[in-house]
Structures are given as structure tokens and as C-alpha cells.
Amino acid sequence: MKIKLIAQIAMALLMARFKQTIVAAFGVTFSITMFITLLSFMGGLNDLLDNLILNRTPHIRLYNEVSPSSIQPISKSEAYPDAYHFIAHVKPKNELPEIRNSEAIIKALREDNNIRGVAPKNTVPIFYHVGEISLTGILDGIDVDAENRLFTFKDYVVDGNSLDLKNTPNSIILGIGAAKKLLVQVGDNIQITTSNGTQFTLKVVGFFQSGMDELDKIQSYVTLATIQKILGKPASYITDIQIKLYDITKAPELTKKYNKLFETDAIDIQTANAQFETGSSVRTLISYAVGITLLIVAGFGIYNILNMMIYEKMDSIAILKATGFSGKDVNAIFITIALTIGLVGGIVGLIFGFGLSAIIGQIPFNTASLPTVKTYPINYNTKFYLIGAVFSLITTYMAGYFQSKKASKIDPVDIIRGK
Amino acid sequence: MEEKIIEAIGISKSFHDPLTVKVLTDVSFSVNKSEFVSIVGKSGCGKSTLLYILSTMDTSYEGMLLLDGISMKTKNDKELAQVRNEKIGFVFQFHYLLNEFNNLQNVMLPGLKFGKLTSKEVEHHAYEKLKILGIENEALKYPNQLSGGQKQRVAIARALINEPLIIMGDEPTGNLDKHNSDVVFNIFKELAEEYHQTLLIVTHDLDFAKKTNRIITMQDGKIIKTELS
Ligand SMILES: Nc1ncnc2c1ncn2[C@@H]1O[C@H](COP(=O)(O)OP(=O)(O)O)[C@@H](O)[C@H]1O
Ligand SMILES: [Mg+2]
């Protein structure tokens, strides 16, 4: 009843100053529209840049670093138990960085509830040969299905089909940079040599483009079975186990656990790519700062219109107080006016913001290094809309607060005596 | 023993900007139920100041104010607002109608604030008050569509809406011509005689004052004479 009455009076005062109200509300609309658009666009851009790396990077990688034995013979001597040992003559053994017991490890990982998927991989340094040219490169043996599922491998195959790698024996998907240098087409054969001299002929079934030029000049893919054949190793030979988690934030903790449990080296994505998070958070911070500045400016608009309304409606405020409305009631009336402007302006702003970001999302954006991106990236995160709504209400409330306080303090005797 | 609706006991008031000027000195009087009392006095003698104190809008004074036997001294802002809403009807020289609302709504506002009745019932009451004042046909018009006399009658209807203990008026006919003054005076007279409404009206119109039950004369912030007519 009382709320209804206060709302009714607030609306009547609003309607009496309809044009100014619309202008003030439009200020809020404009700032919320810009706030949403800016954050959606920045968010989209951040996702794009992050995904460039993060999509292709496992959350945890298990591998075996080639390193010298940590127990050198001298430390077994009882003569110098606490002394510093200068002599370290046992060098790393001539063996490939195989993860021992890989089949058991993969089996155990697949049963872990934290893990979304496991993709085993072999990485081998090679030379590509076509005619007289030979280039250094890196050849990865992959499980095509697991790579597609976890690392959207197929999105990066720009010519040919990722599945051809699985279906064609002795086939290779060549990095697009390497392919250009080697002057090969899909369907051609190329020769490769491993570091210990084994030669092998592979059929090119596709090109791979990651978006990072340096990588595309050296990186190529074959299946696990093919690489094991090239190296003459059994099917259990694995150099890398890539893990994707459901929750990326658990990576550092699980990395430590696997490191102990499986006695392999392990690295988490946060350690491997620390710089990316910093970049995104700075960009996000700037967007928020600009958005909130816009909102504060809109707040001044509301502050102004309330100031004017109170000045004009002194008489009305005086008579309301004389006939039994308390200071609190008057306060509530002007707060209601402010919040109405904020709410209406804010809702329209959210809709416009959605519209504007959707329009930007339609603008073509083509870049050679990002084959999967066709239009400007937009992140339609509901979080932005929530924050926009909350901030529009907070700023309008703040703008209304001081003015309403002023209105509630008006002494009716002063006004009535003045007449 | 008559029932005292309002009682002032030794009320004094000074203004302090920048010099201290004593405007009211030890004013004591009371108004009984169903009485029609007028206050007269030269301009500047403190009539309005007294009325603002009696209406609880001005709280900085010395002395005691009893309304319906209850002291107003200890009440806070909100409680005083409630007293004004429920127990006092005020009519000023200026009508103070809200142009955003029609006349009926203007009359209803204090009733809606009271919140004792549903808005339908308040509306019904408001119509009745407008009928008493002979302006029910103007109910759905807006204040700026009325003449000065009509506006003042709407303001009186607004003062009546919550059936207050007392109606106070500060020169309610001050802005009106002779004809409209007479109309307004007759309304007050009718309220006093037919509805036993208690009234306390400040005026400088002696003809007006002579027709009331009792005249209180003020001079330099003091009551100098009280006469029954
Ligand atoms: N706010 C104020 N500050 C100082 N003096 C005031 C103020 N209001 C009224 N006065 C003085 O108080 C006296 C009484 O004023 P008022 O009650 O309005 O007289 P009346 O209504 O009888 O004409 C006047 O002399 C006036 O100048
Ligand atoms: Mg006066």
C-alpha cells in the first residue's frame, strides 16, 4: 500500500519532467550499451588469443626429460658423505625419452574423475627431404581421435581431412610453412630422416596451420603407429602423455601428484604459459575501467535531473510533509525516481548492448593465422550483463542518494513561510 | 469540563539569525472540541509562527504543546508526520495542490498515506468531502483548470480527508476576493455547526473573525485579549 503510493507519486513527478527523464535514462542506456559491447568484444578477443595457445596446450603434460643420473658413483662412496662432489662422469644414457610403463599410466589416468581425456603422443626431431632440400622439423605421432576431441586438431587442418591420417597408411599432415618451403601438394610423397639416420617415405594427406608461423614451419603429424614403425619401437613406446582436465585450476595440484605417482616429469599449463593470463587480465581491467567511467558520467546526469526536480518541486515536497509524509517517505520517492531511471535506462542498455555486440559479431574478420575465425569474436557472457545491471543500479542509487537526502531534509515551514 | 483538543502552555520562540529576536513570549491557550476559534493581530506579530508550532511542523520552541492530551515534545520526525497526517488538517494562504495529480487524487493523498482504508474507500470519502465543498464536478480536473476559490476548496477537502481532530488555517482567505472569502468562510461555519469540526483559523479579516466563537488577539508575540462573540 505504502510502496504503491510512493511509487505513484514518484511516477507522477517523473511524467511531469518526461523529456529530461528520457535524456537522463538515455545516458544510462548509452553507458550500459557501451559497457556490454566493450566487454563482450574484449572478452571475445581474449578468448581468441588465449585459445590460440590454450586450445592446443594440454593442462598437464607428462614426459621424460633426458638428464644425467642424479646418483653419481662418488655419492655412493662412504669416504665423503657431506662433501661437495665435483666429479660427475656418468652421462645420460643413449636412450629415447620414453615414458616407462606408459600403458599402465594411461589406464590409471583414464579412470581418474578429474580428467576429461588423455592423448598420448610421440615427439621426434626429423629432417624433411624433397629433392635437394632438407629442413629440420618435429614430427608428432598422435592419436587422431583423441587430438580431435581434446585439442580440436581438425580445425587446424586446412587442406585435406584429419581422418585421412588415420585411414591412409604411412601418411603425414605437414605444417603449412614447411609445405610451402618444400613445394609439395596434398597427395605428394616426401622423404624424412630421423636423428639416427632411418629414412622413411610418407604420403602428404593434408596441411596444418596453427596460426603461429614458427610452429607451422617445423611441425608435422603422423599417427602413433606410424611413428613407432619409423623408430622401430613397440606399441607401448610413448614420449608424452597430454592430459585435459575438467577444471583447469586443479592442474598445478594434480601435476605434483602425478609427478610423484608415475615417477615422470610433469608440467602444468599455468607454469608453461604464465604470460597469457596476465595479458587477458590487463585487457579485462581496462574494459571495466572504461565501462565504469561511462556509468559514473551517466550517474551525474541522473544527479542533475533530480537536482532540478527537487528545486522545482519544493512546494510539493513541503505540502507532502505538511500533510503527514515523513522525511523517509520523501527520500523513498526520490530514490524511486532515480532507480526507475537507472532500471529503465539499464534494461534498454542491456538490450542495445546485446544488439550492438551481435552486429559486431557479424562483421567479417579474416586473418591468415586464424583459419577458424571468420567474424569479429564476441563473448556473450551473462556475467557482463549481470555486472552491467548491478552497476547501473548502484550508480543511479548513489546519484539518487544525496539528492533524496537533500529532499528529505527540506523544512516545510521554510517553504510555506516564503510564499 | 470541556474536552481540550489542543493546548499550548507557555510557548516561547526566538529566531537567532543573526540577532536573537523573540517572536513568541509565553503563549498559553487551548481550543475545545467543536470550537471555532480565530486568531487576529497585526502583520508580523507571530501568528504564523505560532500556527507552525501548533501544527508540529516547527519543533524548536520552549514550552509545552498537548494535542488530544498528548505531549508533542518527545515525538520524533516520523511520529510527528503521523500526527499531522491523522489529527491535523492544514489550510494555507496558498493552496499547495500538486499539479501532477487531479483534484480528487490531491484530496486522496493524505488518506492514502494514512493507509487505514483501501484506496476505493479513500476515493469514496474524497468524493464526499468534495461534495460538502460543492466542487464534486471538478474532481477529475487538474488544479490548474480551477479558479483560485475552487483550488482553496480542494485544499480544504484535502485537510478534511482523514477526519482530523482540528483544522488549522493560516489566512486561508488571504488570496481570495470578497465573494470567495465569503464562500470559504461559510464552509468553515458549516463544518463547525453541522459536522462539529474544531477549527483554529488565523486571519486579519476582522469581519471574518467576528463571526467565529472566540477571537484571540495577539500583539508582539503575546496574547493580549481573548473575547467570546
Ligand atoms: N526565519 C526567520 N528568521 C528570523 N525572523 C523571522 C523568521 N520568520 C519570521 N520571522 C519574524 O518573526 C516575526 C513573526 O512572523 P510571523 O509569525 O510570520 O507573523 P504573522 O504571521 O503574524 O504576520 C516577524 O517579525 C518576522 O520577521
Ligand atoms: Mg503570517
Side-chain angles (χ1 to χ4, degrees), chain B residues 79-148:
Chain B
E79 290 165 331
L80 289 176
Q82 202 178 347
V83 168
R84 287 198 291 280
N85 183 239
E86 295 170 11
K87 299 191 171 165
I88 302 172
F90 215 115
V91 185
F92 304 96
Q93 193 168 346
F94 183 71
H95 55 79
Y96 289 108
L97 296 174
L98 275 58
N99 284 320
E100 294 81 19
F101 292 93
N102 68 27
N103 296 314
L104 181 68
Q105 289 169 325
N106 265 290
V107 175
M108 287 171 69
L109 275 177
L112 295 173
K113 166 64 194 168
F114 194 0
K116 199 178 66 176
L117 302 173
T118 66
S119 59
K120 264 257 132 3
E121 289 167 321
V122 173
E123 184 178 331
H124 181 70
H125 274 107
Y127 257 115
E128 282 186 344
K129 304 300 175 198
L130 289 170
K131 215 174 275 174
I132 292 172
L133 293 156
I135 43 166
E136 73 268 32
N137 292 332
E138 322 296 330
L140 300 179
K141 288 188 186 166
Y142 282 78
N144 53 17
Q145 294 170 300
L146 301 188
S147 72

Side-chain angles (χ1 to χ4, degrees), chain A residues 417, chain B residues 43-44 47-49 52 93 170-171 202:
Chain A
R417 204 184 265 287
Chain B
S43 184
K47 306 182 296 294
S48 296
T49 307
Y52 297 144
Q93 193 168 346
D170 189 1
E171 312 208 20
V202 165

Side-chain angles (χ1 to χ4, degrees), chain B residues 89-91 97 103-104 106-108 124-139 146-164 167 172-173 176 179-192 194-195 197 199 201:
Chain B
F90 215 115
V91 185
L97 296 174
N103 296 314
L104 181 68
N106 265 290
V107 175
M108 287 171 69
H124 181 70
H125 274 107
Y127 257 115
E128 282 186 344
K129 304 300 175 198
L130 289 170
K131 215 174 275 174
I132 292 172
L133 293 156
I135 43 166
E136 73 268 32
N137 292 332
E138 322 296 330
L146 301 188
S147 72
Q150 287 173 317
K151 281 184 207 165
Q152 198 61 318
R153 279 189 270 169
V154 176
I156 295 169
R158 180 179 59 194
L160 289 169
I161 187 68
N162 287 339
E163 325 233 287
I167 298 271
T173 60
L176 302 179
H179 169 71
N180 274 309
S181 297
D182 288 345
V183 171
V184 167
F185 178 79
N186 287 332
I187 287 163
F188 285 139
K189 194 83 187 154
E190 183 186 344
L191 288 172
E194 282 180 37
Y195 299 90
Q197 177 68 57
L199 294 136
I201 309 290

Side-chain angles (χ1 to χ4, degrees), chain A residues 359-371:
Chain A
I359 290 170
I360 291 175
Q362 297 303 311
I363 298 173
F365 172 63
N366 288 310
T367 158
S369 59
L370 297 165

